[in-house]
Amino acid sequence: MTTAAAQKVSSESAITVIPQAGYIGAEIAGVDLSAELSDAVVAEIRQALLTWKVVFFRDQTIGHAEQIAFARRFGKVTPAHPYEENPPAGFPEILPIDSRRYGVQYGRKRTSYDSSWHTDVTALVNPPAFSILRADILPTHGGDTAWTNLVAAYENLPETVRAFADTLDAEHTFESRAAQGSARAETIARKPLRTFHPVVRVHPETGERALYVSPGFTRAARTIRGLGPRLSAHVLDALWEEATRAEYTVRFRWQPGSVAFWDNRATAHLAIPDAGHLDQDRVLYRVTIEGDVPRGVDGRLSESVEGDPFYGS
């Protein structure tokens, strides 16, 4: 990226925001995430995040404690995951994205728990507002992650389609990918998560409207309230296709010391499953920040069918 493309956040700040794609993604330089950040710097990072939907930091030297401390500057940090029972000792907020835990599928190592487009844990009535992912062990190549801008996807729909989508609610469920009969699968079966969210949610900070049809969580039920199964499936397929068009995406190549920080209220992401055949480990660590209950264009709120809100501290 040329110097001209870099954007100084303020004349008093050393932070530089470097856009990475036309609609989404920026790299932030000049920040040490292991340090105690000023309120002004935190505000600048937050503004860059709201503008670019996902921001990236390079060459960071932080562990679990520093990652959690950084996350707390942006809100309440939740436990690792509604179904995570084995976080790292002493760090219940950390979710390992660890290929060593997932085994082999179709003859290849699974490098991520979910390799479909999704927004984190939208089966909750209050899905996470933000997620922060830190690289630890990486394959020599492959294993990138992509994000898509759900605000851009909505804004570029024809007006009549936007007006129709504004009125819809889709069912989000947590579909277990754990081995049948495993302790995790049994836990998920005992504590199901199911919520109806507006297909278009209004961002609580920016007021932007975003498509909210996470394929990873709406594919199992394929249900839109008021539409039959066949029509629901067709409508969701069309919206998923729009939401994940290549022009709305950015692809991030992980390197040692890389950190990604994204807004779940305006993005979906994809762990690209192109490294499983390499037989190399891929380990990253995620923390999430408590979110609000989504609100539709007309002010209606999401409705929980099964499961409790997920709160942080």
Side-chain angles (χ1 to χ4, degrees):
M1 188 65 65
T2 65
T3 303
Q7 301 175 348
K8 279 286 182 67
V9 177
S10 77
S11 59
E12 298 178 355
S13 174
I15 292 178
T16 303
V17 179
I18 309 168
Q20 300 294 291
Y23 281 104
I24 183 173
E27 183 173 317
I28 296 182
V31 178
D32 179 359
L33 300 186
S34 69
E36 181 68 28
L37 302 179
S38 69
D39 291 344
V41 168
V42 169
E44 290 167 351
I45 293 172
R46 191 181 195 102
Q47 186 55 56
L49 180 60
L50 294 175
T51 299
W52 291 102
K53 317 310 181 194
V54 57
V55 295
F56 309 114
F57 304 88
R58 296 288 192 185
D59 302 318
Q60 301 295 320
T61 305
I62 62 172
H64 296 333
E66 292 85 359
Q67 185 177 2
I68 294 166
F70 174 63
R72 289 199 191 283
R73 301 301 304 275
F74 297 88
K76 295 180 179 180
V77 178
T78 69
H81 191 277
Y83 298 121
E84 178 57 46
E85 297 180 335
N86 295 294
F91 298 99
E93 304 90 347
I94 295 286
L95 177 70
I97 310 296
D98 188 339
S99 62
R100 298 169 299 187
R101 306 174 68 179
Y102 302 140
V104 174
Q105 187 176 42
Y106 308 124
R108 297 183 178 185
K109 179 177 289 189
R110 291 179 61 197
T111 54
S112 184
Y113 179 73
D114 187 346
S115 291
S116 64
W117 281 103
H118 66 282
T119 301
D120 285 337
V121 207
T122 59
L124 288 166
V125 71
N126 66 325
F130 303 114
S131 297
I132 302 173
L133 189 61
R134 167 176 58 95
D136 183 18
I137 300 172
L138 299 169
T140 54
H141 52 285
D144 297 354
T145 303
W147 283 262
T148 189
N149 184 338
L150 299 178
V151 172
Y154 172 82
E155 290 178 345
N156 285 300
L157 289 171
E159 182 178 356
T160 53
V161 178
R162 294 199 306 268
F164 175 57
D166 289 347
T167 68
L168 303 177
D169 297 294
E171 183 178 358
H172 296 236
T173 60
F174 194 94
E175 182 183 12
S176 175
R177 291 172 177 80
Q180 188 172 5
S182 67
R184 182 179 176 87
E186 292 175 0
T187 299
I188 294 170
R190 285 197 313 271
K191 300 189 299 182
L193 291 173
R194 187 158 62 105
T195 298
F196 276 94
H197 291 300
V199 164
V200 178
R201 72 172 295 182
V202 178
H203 196 286
E205 295 187 65
T206 68
E208 295 172 312
R209 299 180 184 184
L211 282 181
Y212 204 60
V213 287
S214 174
F217 291 98
T218 54
R219 183 168 285 121
R222 299 178 74 85
T223 297
I224 292 177
R225 182 178 282 148
L227 304 184
R230 179 173 167 276
L231 189 53
S232 289
H234 287 312
V235 171
L236 285 170
D237 283 343
L239 294 176
W240 291 335
E241 183 178 348
E242 288 297 318
T244 58
R245 283 172 55 171
E247 57 262 46
Y248 304 139
T249 68
V250 65
R251 180 167 174 159
F252 185 59
R253 170 159 290 184
W254 294 100
Q255 298 171 353
S258 294
V259 175
F261 185 6
W262 67 95
D263 188 341
N264 278 294
R265 302 163 298 184
T267 64
H269 57 279
L270 171 70
I272 298 171
D274 66 343
H277 65 290
L278 301 175
D279 196 29
Q280 298 177 28
D281 291 323
R282 179 179 184 270
V283 182
L284 305 96
Y285 295 104
R286 192 189 80 189
V287 297
T288 55
I289 296 164
E290 180 186 308
D292 60 315
V293 176
R295 186 179 296 273
V297 171
D298 62 358
R300 72 189 186 282
L301 293 172
S302 299
E303 299 177 22
S304 175
V305 180
E306 294 180 288
D308 299 320
F310 200 53
Y311 295 124
S313 60

